[in-house]
Amino acid sequence: MQREDNQFLMFTHLSQLAHFVFPFGGLLVPIVLWQIKKDEILNLESHAKEIINFQISFSIYAIVAGILIILLIGLGFLLIIGLITVIVPVIGAVKAANGEFFKYPLTIQFLK
C-alpha cells in the first residue's frame, strides 16, 4: 500500500544537487531513490520521471553549450544552465513539500 510522503518527494527533488558532490549524482541518486521507494510512496513515479527527464535534458544542453564554447557563445549558456540546475530543483522541492507537482521548464519528455 502506497502512502503520501511529501517530505520524501521534496528530498528526491533536492537529491539532484548531488551532481555537485560526484559526477552524474544528480541523475543517479534520484533513480536509486525512485527504485528503492517506488512501491511505497504515492506519486513518486511521476516526480522521478520528471526529475530524470530534466537531468537528461540539461545534460544534453550542457554538452551542446560545451561544444559552442568553440564559437565563444557557449560559456554564457553554461552559466545559465548551471543556475537553472540549482534553482529549478529547489523550486520543485518546495512545490513537492506543499503537495504539488512541478513541471520542469525546458525539459524533453524521454520518460512518459
mmCIF file with all atom_site columns, all heavy atoms in Angstrom, residues 24-47:
data_model
loop_
_atom_site.group_PDB
_atom_site.id
_atom_site.type_symbol
_atom_site.label_atom_id
_atom_site.label_alt_id
_atom_site.label_comp_id
_atom_site.label_asym_id
_atom_site.label_entity_id
_atom_site.label_seq_id
_atom_site.pdbx_PDB_ins_code
_atom_site.Cartn_x
_atom_site.Cartn_y
_atom_site.Cartn_z
_atom_site.occupancy
_atom_site.B_iso_or_equiv
_atom_site.pdbx_formal_charge
_atom_site.auth_seq_id
_atom_site.auth_comp_id
_atom_site.auth_asym_id
_atom_site.auth_atom_id
_atom_site.pdbx_PDB_model_num
ATOM 1   N N   . PHE A 1 24 ? 27.456 12.810 -12.308 1.00 0.00 ? 24 PHE A N   1
ATOM 2   C CA  . PHE A 1 24 ? 26.179 12.150 -12.596 1.00 0.00 ? 24 PHE A CA  1
ATOM 3   C C   . PHE A 1 24 ? 25.356 11.853 -11.348 1.00 0.00 ? 24 PHE A C   1
ATOM 4   O O   . PHE A 1 24 ? 24.388 11.115 -11.411 1.00 0.00 ? 24 PHE A O   1
ATOM 5   C CB  . PHE A 1 24 ? 26.388 10.877 -13.432 1.00 0.00 ? 24 PHE A CB  1
ATOM 6   C CG  . PHE A 1 24 ? 27.100 11.119 -14.719 1.00 0.00 ? 24 PHE A CG  1
ATOM 7   C CD1 . PHE A 1 24 ? 28.419 10.736 -14.881 1.00 0.00 ? 24 PHE A CD1 1
ATOM 8   C CD2 . PHE A 1 24 ? 26.461 11.763 -15.766 1.00 0.00 ? 24 PHE A CD2 1
ATOM 9   C CE1 . PHE A 1 24 ? 29.091 10.967 -16.069 1.00 0.00 ? 24 PHE A CE1 1
ATOM 10  C CE2 . PHE A 1 24 ? 27.127 12.005 -16.960 1.00 0.00 ? 24 PHE A CE2 1
ATOM 11  C CZ  . PHE A 1 24 ? 28.445 11.607 -17.111 1.00 0.00 ? 24 PHE A CZ  1
ATOM 12  N N   . GLY A 1 25 ? 25.744 12.407 -10.221 1.00 0.00 ? 25 GLY A N   1
ATOM 13  C CA  . GLY A 1 25 ? 24.996 12.211 -8.984  1.00 0.00 ? 25 GLY A CA  1
ATOM 14  C C   . GLY A 1 25 ? 23.582 12.750 -9.072  1.00 0.00 ? 25 GLY A C   1
ATOM 15  O O   . GLY A 1 25 ? 22.653 12.176 -8.511  1.00 0.00 ? 25 GLY A O   1
ATOM 16  N N   . GLY A 1 26 ? 23.402 13.856 -9.793  1.00 0.00 ? 26 GLY A N   1
ATOM 17  C CA  . GLY A 1 26 ? 22.080 14.450 -9.946  1.00 0.00 ? 26 GLY A CA  1
ATOM 18  C C   . GLY A 1 26 ? 21.123 13.576 -10.728 1.00 0.00 ? 26 GLY A C   1
ATOM 19  O O   . GLY A 1 26 ? 19.903 13.738 -10.629 1.00 0.00 ? 26 GLY A O   1
ATOM 20  N N   . LEU A 1 27 ? 21.651 12.648 -11.488 1.00 0.00 ? 27 LEU A N   1
ATOM 21  C CA  . LEU A 1 27 ? 20.827 11.696 -12.230 1.00 0.00 ? 27 LEU A CA  1
ATOM 22  C C   . LEU A 1 27 ? 20.713 10.368 -11.469 1.00 0.00 ? 27 LEU A C   1
ATOM 23  O O   . LEU A 1 27 ? 19.619 9.816  -11.347 1.00 0.00 ? 27 LEU A O   1
ATOM 24  C CB  . LEU A 1 27 ? 21.415 11.457 -13.623 1.00 0.00 ? 27 LEU A CB  1
ATOM 25  C CG  . LEU A 1 27 ? 20.698 10.462 -14.521 1.00 0.00 ? 27 LEU A CG  1
ATOM 26  C CD1 . LEU A 1 27 ? 19.288 10.931 -14.846 1.00 0.00 ? 27 LEU A CD1 1
ATOM 27  C CD2 . LEU A 1 27 ? 21.483 10.246 -15.804 1.00 0.00 ? 27 LEU A CD2 1
ATOM 28  N N   . LEU A 1 28 ? 21.822 9.891  -10.949 1.00 0.00 ? 28 LEU A N   1
ATOM 29  C CA  . LEU A 1 28 ? 21.838 8.567  -10.316 1.00 0.00 ? 28 LEU A CA  1
ATOM 30  C C   . LEU A 1 28 ? 21.097 8.521  -8.987  1.00 0.00 ? 28 LEU A C   1
ATOM 31  O O   . LEU A 1 28 ? 20.372 7.557  -8.715  1.00 0.00 ? 28 LEU A O   1
ATOM 32  C CB  . LEU A 1 28 ? 23.284 8.101  -10.123 1.00 0.00 ? 28 LEU A CB  1
ATOM 33  C CG  . LEU A 1 28 ? 24.089 7.897  -11.409 1.00 0.00 ? 28 LEU A CG  1
ATOM 34  C CD1 . LEU A 1 28 ? 25.529 7.530  -11.086 1.00 0.00 ? 28 LEU A CD1 1
ATOM 35  C CD2 . LEU A 1 28 ? 23.449 6.827  -12.273 1.00 0.00 ? 28 LEU A CD2 1
ATOM 36  N N   . VAL A 1 29 ? 21.267 9.531  -8.145  1.00 0.00 ? 29 VAL A N   1
ATOM 37  C CA  . VAL A 1 29 ? 20.626 9.498  -6.821  1.00 0.00 ? 29 VAL A CA  1
ATOM 38  C C   . VAL A 1 29 ? 19.102 9.469  -6.935  1.00 0.00 ? 29 VAL A C   1
ATOM 39  O O   . VAL A 1 29 ? 18.456 8.643  -6.285  1.00 0.00 ? 29 VAL A O   1
ATOM 40  C CB  . VAL A 1 29 ? 21.129 10.655 -5.927  1.00 0.00 ? 29 VAL A CB  1
ATOM 41  C CG1 . VAL A 1 29 ? 20.357 10.707 -4.617  1.00 0.00 ? 29 VAL A CG1 1
ATOM 42  C CG2 . VAL A 1 29 ? 22.628 10.510 -5.661  1.00 0.00 ? 29 VAL A CG2 1
ATOM 43  N N   . PRO A 1 30 ? 18.484 10.339 -7.772  1.00 0.00 ? 30 PRO A N   1
ATOM 44  C CA  . PRO A 1 30 ? 17.017 10.235 -7.908  1.00 0.00 ? 30 PRO A CA  1
ATOM 45  C C   . PRO A 1 30 ? 16.550 8.878  -8.445  1.00 0.00 ? 30 PRO A C   1
ATOM 46  O O   . PRO A 1 30 ? 15.511 8.366  -8.026  1.00 0.00 ? 30 PRO A O   1
ATOM 47  C CB  . PRO A 1 30 ? 16.660 11.361 -8.880  1.00 0.00 ? 30 PRO A CB  1
ATOM 48  C CG  . PRO A 1 30 ? 17.762 12.342 -8.759  1.00 0.00 ? 30 PRO A CG  1
ATOM 49  C CD  . PRO A 1 30 ? 18.991 11.520 -8.474  1.00 0.00 ? 30 PRO A CD  1
ATOM 50  N N   . ILE A 1 31 ? 17.331 8.297  -9.361  1.00 0.00 ? 31 ILE A N   1
ATOM 51  C CA  . ILE A 1 31 ? 16.965 6.978  -9.893  1.00 0.00 ? 31 ILE A CA  1
ATOM 52  C C   . ILE A 1 31 ? 17.001 5.929  -8.783  1.00 0.00 ? 31 ILE A C   1
ATOM 53  O O   . ILE A 1 31 ? 16.086 5.111  -8.656  1.00 0.00 ? 31 ILE A O   1
ATOM 54  C CB  . ILE A 1 31 ? 17.890 6.566  -11.063 1.00 0.00 ? 31 ILE A CB  1
ATOM 55  C CG1 . ILE A 1 31 ? 17.599 7.434  -12.289 1.00 0.00 ? 31 ILE A CG1 1
ATOM 56  C CG2 . ILE A 1 31 ? 17.722 5.093  -11.407 1.00 0.00 ? 31 ILE A CG2 1
ATOM 57  C CD1 . ILE A 1 31 ? 18.578 7.235  -13.434 1.00 0.00 ? 31 ILE A CD1 1
ATOM 58  N N   . VAL A 1 32 ? 18.037 5.955  -7.969  1.00 0.00 ? 32 VAL A N   1
ATOM 59  C CA  . VAL A 1 32 ? 18.157 4.996  -6.864  1.00 0.00 ? 32 VAL A CA  1
ATOM 60  C C   . VAL A 1 32 ? 17.015 5.186  -5.870  1.00 0.00 ? 32 VAL A C   1
ATOM 61  O O   . VAL A 1 32 ? 16.375 4.209  -5.448  1.00 0.00 ? 32 VAL A O   1
ATOM 62  C CB  . VAL A 1 32 ? 19.537 5.125  -6.172  1.00 0.00 ? 32 VAL A CB  1
ATOM 63  C CG1 . VAL A 1 32 ? 19.578 4.328  -4.882  1.00 0.00 ? 32 VAL A CG1 1
ATOM 64  C CG2 . VAL A 1 32 ? 20.643 4.679  -7.115  1.00 0.00 ? 32 VAL A CG2 1
ATOM 65  N N   . LEU A 1 33 ? 16.724 6.437  -5.499  1.00 0.00 ? 33 LEU A N   1
ATOM 66  C CA  . LEU A 1 33 ? 15.628 6.700  -4.564  1.00 0.00 ? 33 LEU A CA  1
ATOM 67  C C   . LEU A 1 33 ? 14.299 6.206  -5.133  1.00 0.00 ? 33 LEU A C   1
ATOM 68  O O   . LEU A 1 33 ? 13.489 5.623  -4.414  1.00 0.00 ? 33 LEU A O   1
ATOM 69  C CB  . LEU A 1 33 ? 15.540 8.198  -4.254  1.00 0.00 ? 33 LEU A CB  1
ATOM 70  C CG  . LEU A 1 33 ? 16.689 8.787  -3.452  1.00 0.00 ? 33 LEU A CG  1
ATOM 71  C CD1 . LEU A 1 33 ? 16.529 10.294 -3.345  1.00 0.00 ? 33 LEU A CD1 1
ATOM 72  C CD2 . LEU A 1 33 ? 16.781 8.146  -2.084  1.00 0.00 ? 33 LEU A CD2 1
ATOM 73  N N   . TRP A 1 34 ? 14.081 6.438  -6.395  1.00 0.00 ? 34 TRP A N   1
ATOM 74  C CA  . TRP A 1 34 ? 12.849 6.002  -7.063  1.00 0.00 ? 34 TRP A CA  1
ATOM 75  C C   . TRP A 1 34 ? 12.728 4.486  -7.003  1.00 0.00 ? 34 TRP A C   1
ATOM 76  O O   . TRP A 1 34 ? 11.681 3.944  -6.652  1.00 0.00 ? 34 TRP A O   1
ATOM 77  C CB  . TRP A 1 34 ? 12.840 6.512  -8.491  1.00 0.00 ? 34 TRP A CB  1
ATOM 78  C CG  . TRP A 1 34 ? 11.704 6.059  -9.355  1.00 0.00 ? 34 TRP A CG  1
ATOM 79  C CD1 . TRP A 1 34 ? 10.445 5.700  -8.962  1.00 0.00 ? 34 TRP A CD1 1
ATOM 80  C CD2 . TRP A 1 34 ? 11.708 5.929  -10.768 1.00 0.00 ? 34 TRP A CD2 1
ATOM 81  N NE1 . TRP A 1 34 ? 9.670  5.359  -10.053 1.00 0.00 ? 34 TRP A NE1 1
ATOM 82  C CE2 . TRP A 1 34 ? 10.432 5.498  -11.174 1.00 0.00 ? 34 TRP A CE2 1
ATOM 83  C CE3 . TRP A 1 34 ? 12.672 6.144  -11.742 1.00 0.00 ? 34 TRP A CE3 1
ATOM 84  C CZ2 . TRP A 1 34 ? 10.095 5.270  -12.502 1.00 0.00 ? 34 TRP A CZ2 1
ATOM 85  C CZ3 . TRP A 1 34 ? 12.331 5.935  -13.058 1.00 0.00 ? 34 TRP A CZ3 1
ATOM 86  C CH2 . TRP A 1 34 ? 11.057 5.500  -13.430 1.00 0.00 ? 34 TRP A CH2 1
ATOM 87  N N   . GLN A 1 35 ? 13.808 3.789  -7.343  1.00 0.00 ? 35 GLN A N   1
ATOM 88  C CA  . GLN A 1 35 ? 13.761 2.331  -7.381  1.00 0.00 ? 35 GLN A CA  1
ATOM 89  C C   . GLN A 1 35 ? 13.591 1.715  -5.989  1.00 0.00 ? 35 GLN A C   1
ATOM 90  O O   . GLN A 1 35 ? 12.919 0.704  -5.829  1.00 0.00 ? 35 GLN A O   1
ATOM 91  C CB  . GLN A 1 35 ? 15.014 1.775  -8.069  1.00 0.00 ? 35 GLN A CB  1
ATOM 92  C CG  . GLN A 1 35 ? 15.081 2.098  -9.544  1.00 0.00 ? 35 GLN A CG  1
ATOM 93  C CD  . GLN A 1 35 ? 13.833 1.674  -10.287 1.00 0.00 ? 35 GLN A CD  1
ATOM 94  O OE1 . GLN A 1 35 ? 13.410 0.531  -10.218 1.00 0.00 ? 35 GLN A OE1 1
ATOM 95  N NE2 . GLN A 1 35 ? 13.203 2.603  -10.987 1.00 0.00 ? 35 GLN A NE2 1
ATOM 96  N N   . ILE A 1 36 ? 14.160 2.346  -4.989  1.00 0.00 ? 36 ILE A N   1
ATOM 97  C CA  . ILE A 1 36 ? 14.053 1.819  -3.629  1.00 0.00 ? 36 ILE A CA  1
ATOM 98  C C   . ILE A 1 36 ? 12.648 2.004  -3.067  1.00 0.00 ? 36 ILE A C   1
ATOM 99  O O   . ILE A 1 36 ? 12.112 1.114  -2.411  1.00 0.00 ? 36 ILE A O   1
ATOM 100 C CB  . ILE A 1 36 ? 15.093 2.489  -2.706  1.00 0.00 ? 36 ILE A CB  1
ATOM 101 C CG1 . ILE A 1 36 ? 16.495 2.028  -3.083  1.00 0.00 ? 36 ILE A CG1 1
ATOM 102 C CG2 . ILE A 1 36 ? 14.808 2.182  -1.243  1.00 0.00 ? 36 ILE A CG2 1
ATOM 103 C CD1 . ILE A 1 36 ? 17.601 2.773  -2.360  1.00 0.00 ? 36 ILE A CD1 1
ATOM 104 N N   . LYS A 1 37 ? 12.021 3.154  -3.342  1.00 0.00 ? 37 LYS A N   1
ATOM 105 C CA  . LYS A 1 37 ? 10.746 3.507  -2.703  1.00 0.00 ? 37 LYS A CA  1
ATOM 106 C C   . LYS A 1 37 ? 9.548  3.536  -3.650  1.00 0.00 ? 37 LYS A C   1
ATOM 107 O O   . LYS A 1 37 ? 8.472  3.956  -3.253  1.00 0.00 ? 37 LYS A O   1
ATOM 108 C CB  . LYS A 1 37 ? 10.872 4.890  -2.045  1.00 0.00 ? 37 LYS A CB  1
ATOM 109 C CG  . LYS A 1 37 ? 11.851 4.949  -0.919  1.00 0.00 ? 37 LYS A CG  1
ATOM 110 C CD  . LYS A 1 37 ? 11.297 4.262  0.292   1.00 0.00 ? 37 LYS A CD  1
ATOM 111 C CE  . LYS A 1 37 ? 12.164 4.553  1.512   1.00 0.00 ? 37 LYS A CE  1
ATOM 112 N NZ  . LYS A 1 37 ? 11.577 4.034  2.719   1.00 0.00 ? 37 LYS A NZ  1
ATOM 113 N N   . LYS A 1 38 ? 9.703  3.066  -4.887  1.00 0.00 ? 38 LYS A N   1
ATOM 114 C CA  . LYS A 1 38 ? 8.637  3.209  -5.883  1.00 0.00 ? 38 LYS A CA  1
ATOM 115 C C   . LYS A 1 38 ? 7.315  2.551  -5.480  1.00 0.00 ? 38 LYS A C   1
ATOM 116 O O   . LYS A 1 38 ? 6.255  3.012  -5.871  1.00 0.00 ? 38 LYS A O   1
ATOM 117 C CB  . LYS A 1 38 ? 9.090  2.698  -7.242  1.00 0.00 ? 38 LYS A CB  1
ATOM 118 C CG  . LYS A 1 38 ? 9.358  1.211  -7.306  1.00 0.00 ? 38 LYS A CG  1
ATOM 119 C CD  . LYS A 1 38 ? 9.875  0.812  -8.660  1.00 0.00 ? 38 LYS A CD  1
ATOM 120 C CE  . LYS A 1 38 ? 10.228 -0.661 -8.683  1.00 0.00 ? 38 LYS A CE  1
ATOM 121 N NZ  . LYS A 1 38 ? 10.828 -1.037 -9.945  1.00 0.00 ? 38 LYS A NZ  1
ATOM 122 N N   . ASP A 1 39 ? 7.375  1.496  -4.705  1.00 0.00 ? 39 ASP A N   1
ATOM 123 C CA  . ASP A 1 39 ? 6.143  0.813  -4.293  1.00 0.00 ? 39 ASP A CA  1
ATOM 124 C C   . ASP A 1 39 ? 5.555  1.360  -2.996  1.00 0.00 ? 39 ASP A C   1
ATOM 125 O O   . ASP A 1 39 ? 4.464  0.967  -2.604  1.00 0.00 ? 39 ASP A O   1
ATOM 126 C CB  . ASP A 1 39 ? 6.410  -0.691 -4.136  1.00 0.00 ? 39 ASP A CB  1
ATOM 127 C CG  . ASP A 1 39 ? 6.812  -1.336 -5.448  1.00 0.00 ? 39 ASP A CG  1
ATOM 128 O OD1 . ASP A 1 39 ? 6.317  -0.899 -6.506  1.00 0.00 ? 39 ASP A OD1 1
ATOM 129 O OD2 . ASP A 1 39 ? 7.633  -2.273 -5.420  1.00 0.00 ? 39 ASP A OD2 1
ATOM 130 N N   . GLU A 1 40 ? 6.274  2.265  -2.349  1.00 0.00 ? 40 GLU A N   1
ATOM 131 C CA  . GLU A 1 40 ? 5.842  2.765  -1.044  1.00 0.00 ? 40 GLU A CA  1
ATOM 132 C C   . GLU A 1 40 ? 5.280  4.189  -1.069  1.00 0.00 ? 40 GLU A C   1
ATOM 133 O O   . GLU A 1 40 ? 4.414  4.509  -0.265  1.00 0.00 ? 40 GLU A O   1
ATOM 134 C CB  . GLU A 1 40 ? 7.021  2.738  -0.065  1.00 0.00 ? 40 GLU A CB  1
ATOM 135 C CG  . GLU A 1 40 ? 7.575  1.356  0.193   1.00 0.00 ? 40 GLU A CG  1
ATOM 136 C CD  . GLU A 1 40 ? 8.830  1.401  1.035   1.00 0.00 ? 40 GLU A CD  1
ATOM 137 O OE1 . GLU A 1 40 ? 8.949  2.304  1.881   1.00 0.00 ? 40 GLU A OE1 1
ATOM 138 O OE2 . GLU A 1 40 ? 9.700  0.542  0.836   1.00 0.00 ? 40 GLU A OE2 1
ATOM 139 N N   . ILE A 1 41 ? 5.793  5.040  -1.963  1.00 0.00 ? 41 ILE A N   1
ATOM 140 C CA  . ILE A 1 41 ? 5.456  6.465  -1.938  1.00 0.00 ? 41 ILE A CA  1
ATOM 141 C C   . ILE A 1 41 ? 4.516  6.812  -3.094  1.00 0.00 ? 41 ILE A C   1
ATOM 142 O O   . ILE A 1 41 ? 4.824  6.574  -4.258  1.00 0.00 ? 41 ILE A O   1
ATOM 143 C CB  . ILE A 1 41 ? 6.725  7.342  -2.038  1.00 0.00 ? 41 ILE A CB  1
ATOM 144 C CG1 . ILE A 1 41 ? 7.760  6.942  -0.995  1.00 0.00 ? 41 ILE A CG1 1
ATOM 145 C CG2 . ILE A 1 41 ? 6.368  8.832  -1.938  1.00 0.00 ? 41 ILE A CG2 1
ATOM 146 C CD1 . ILE A 1 41 ? 7.354  7.143  0.428   1.00 0.00 ? 41 ILE A CD1 1
ATOM 147 N N   . LEU A 1 42 ? 3.389  7.393  -2.736  1.00 0.00 ? 42 LEU A N   1
ATOM 148 C CA  . LEU A 1 42 ? 2.387  7.823  -3.714  1.00 0.00 ? 42 LEU A CA  1
ATOM 149 C C   . LEU A 1 42 ? 2.945  8.962  -4.574  1.00 0.00 ? 42 LEU A C   1
ATOM 150 O O   . LEU A 1 42 ? 3.573  9.886  -4.048  1.00 0.00 ? 42 LEU A O   1
ATOM 151 C CB  . LEU A 1 42 ? 1.136  8.285  -2.968  1.00 0.00 ? 42 LEU A CB  1
ATOM 152 C CG  . LEU A 1 42 ? -0.114 8.545  -3.784  1.00 0.00 ? 42 LEU A CG  1
ATOM 153 C CD1 . LEU A 1 42 ? -0.606 7.256  -4.431  1.00 0.00 ? 42 LEU A CD1 1
ATOM 154 C CD2 . LEU A 1 42 ? -1.203 9.107  -2.880  1.00 0.00 ? 42 LEU A CD2 1
ATOM 155 N N   . ASN A 1 43 ? 2.757  8.891  -5.868  1.00 0.00 ? 43 ASN A N   1
ATOM 156 C CA  . ASN A 1 43 ? 3.174  9.901  -6.854  1.00 0.00 ? 43 ASN A CA  1
ATOM 157 C C   . ASN A 1 43 ? 4.686  9.978  -7.062  1.00 0.00 ? 43 ASN A C   1
ATOM 158 O O   . ASN A 1 43 ? 5.152  10.864 -7.775  1.00 0.00 ? 43 ASN A O   1
ATOM 159 C CB  . ASN A 1 43 ? 2.646  11.297 -6.507  1.00 0.00 ? 43 ASN A CB  1
ATOM 160 C CG  . ASN A 1 43 ? 1.148  11.348 -6.513  1.00 0.00 ? 43 ASN A CG  1
ATOM 161 O OD1 . ASN A 1 43 ? 0.501  10.745 -7.355  1.00 0.00 ? 43 ASN A OD1 1
ATOM 162 N ND2 . ASN A 1 43 ? 0.574  12.045 -5.547  1.00 0.00 ? 43 ASN A ND2 1
ATOM 163 N N   . LEU A 1 44 ? 5.461  9.092  -6.469  1.00 0.00 ? 44 LEU A N   1
ATOM 164 C CA  . LEU A 1 44 ? 6.915  9.133  -6.638  1.00 0.00 ? 44 LEU A CA  1
ATOM 165 C C   . LEU A 1 44 ? 7.308  8.913  -8.091  1.00 0.00 ? 44 LEU A C   1
ATOM 166 O O   . LEU A 1 44 ? 8.214  9.566  -8.595  1.00 0.00 ? 44 LEU A O   1
ATOM 167 C CB  . LEU A 1 44 ? 7.602  8.104  -5.738  1.00 0.00 ? 44 LEU A CB  1
ATOM 168 C CG  . LEU A 1 44 ? 9.125  8.021  -5.848  1.00 0.00 ? 44 LEU A CG  1
ATOM 169 C CD1 . LEU A 1 44 ? 9.763  9.372  -5.522  1.00 0.00 ? 44 LEU A CD1 1
ATOM 170 C CD2 . LEU A 1 44 ? 9.669  6.936  -4.944  1.00 0.00 ? 44 LEU A CD2 1
ATOM 171 N N   . GLU A 1 45 ? 6.599  8.035  -8.785  1.00 0.00 ? 45 GLU A N   1
ATOM 172 C CA  . GLU A 1 45 ? 6.952  7.735  -10.171 1.00 0.00 ? 45 GLU A CA  1
ATOM 173 C C   . GLU A 1 45 ? 6.869  8.973  -11.056 1.00 0.00 ? 45 GLU A C   1
ATOM 174 O O   . GLU A 1 45 ? 7.781  9.252  -11.830 1.00 0.00 ? 45 GLU A O   1
ATOM 175 C CB  . GLU A 1 45 ? 6.064  6.628  -10.730 1.00 0.00 ? 45 GLU A CB  1
ATOM 176 C CG  . GLU A 1 45 ? 6.464  6.236  -12.136 1.00 0.00 ? 45 GLU A CG  1
ATOM 177 C CD  . GLU A 1 45 ? 5.767  4.981  -12.633 1.00 0.00 ? 45 GLU A CD  1
ATOM 178 O OE1 . GLU A 1 45 ? 5.134  4.276  -11.818 1.00 0.00 ? 45 GLU A OE1 1
ATOM 179 O OE2 . GLU A 1 45 ? 5.868  4.718  -13.817 1.00 0.00 ? 45 GLU A OE2 1
ATOM 180 N N   . SER A 1 46 ? 5.806  9.743  -10.947 1.00 0.00 ? 46 SER A N   1
ATOM 181 C CA  . SER A 1 46 ? 5.663  10.924 -11.797 1.00 0.00 ? 46 SER A CA  1
ATOM 182 C C   . SER A 1 46 ? 6.717  11.973 -11.461 1.00 0.00 ? 46 SER A C   1
ATOM 183 O O   . SER A 1 46 ? 7.286  12.600 -12.365 1.00 0.00 ? 46 SER A O   1
ATOM 184 C CB  . SER A 1 46 ? 4.261  11.513 -11.692 1.00 0.00 ? 46 SER A CB  1
ATOM 185 O OG  . SER A 1 46 ? 3.961  11.887 -10.367 1.00 0.00 ? 46 SER A OG  1
ATOM 186 N N   . HIS A 1 47 ? 7.013  12.151 -10.185 1.00 0.00 ? 47 HIS A N   1
ATOM 187 C CA  . HIS A 1 47 ? 8.048  13.110 -9.787  1.00 0.00 ? 47 HIS A CA  1
ATOM 188 C C   . HIS A 1 47 ? 9.422  12.639 -10.282 1.00 0.00 ? 47 HIS A C   1
ATOM 189 O O   . HIS A 1 47 ? 10.194 13.438 -10.817 1.00 0.00 ? 47 HIS A O   1
ATOM 190 C CB  . HIS A 1 47 ? 8.075  13.285 -8.269  1.00 0.00 ? 47 HIS A CB  1
ATOM 191 C CG  . HIS A 1 47 ? 6.968  14.118 -7.738  1.00 0.00 ? 47 HIS A CG  1
ATOM 192 N ND1 . HIS A 1 47 ? 7.093  15.460 -7.488  1.00 0.00 ? 47 HIS A ND1 1
ATOM 193 C CD2 . HIS A 1 47 ? 5.694  13.803 -7.406  1.00 0.00 ? 47 HIS A CD2 1
ATOM 194 C CE1 . HIS A 1 47 ? 5.951  15.938 -7.022  1.00 0.00 ? 47 HIS A CE1 1
ATOM 195 N NE2 . HIS A 1 47 ? 5.080  14.943 -6.965  1.00 0.00 ? 47 HIS A NE2 1
#
